[in-house]
Amino acid sequence: CYQCHGYEAQGSSATGPRLGPRPIAFAAFSRYVRQPTGQMPPYTTKVVSDADLTNIYAFISSRPAPATNLPLLRD
């Protein structure tokens, strides 16, 4: 996942969308991973088990929101 979505699920306009924090609902996430549209390849249960998919979702759900107030960058 990190190759397109980044180590923190932050995404990039050049590679893949942001996944976290606050990802889409698990049912929609699971459905998309299994049967994606666009450039993402499908990840069947042979590649990513349901348990692993649940753990991936837990990881992206746990990512903190990016900082919005950075005085050093603002000044």
Side-chain angles (χ1 to χ4, degrees), residues 1-2 7 9 13 15 27-28 35-36 38 40 45 58 64-65 67 70 72:
C1 303
Y2 77 90
Y7 289 107
S13 61
T15 57
Q35 298 175 354
M40 185 171 132
T45 55
L70 299 173
L72 291 175

Side-chain angles (χ1 to χ4, degrees), residues 26 29 48-62:
F26 180 74
F29 173 79
V48 177
S49 70
D50 288 337
D52 286 343
L53 192 58
T54 300
N55 289 335
I56 291 167
Y57 188 81
F59 171 78
I60 63 174
S61 296
S62 72

Side-chain angles (χ1 to χ4, degrees), residues 7-31:
Y7 289 107
E8 295 294 323
Q10 76 275 9
S12 164
S13 61
T15 57
R18 177 185 60 79
L19 300 177
R22 298 177 304 279
I24 60 176
F26 180 74
F29 173 79
S30 178
R31 189 171 39 254

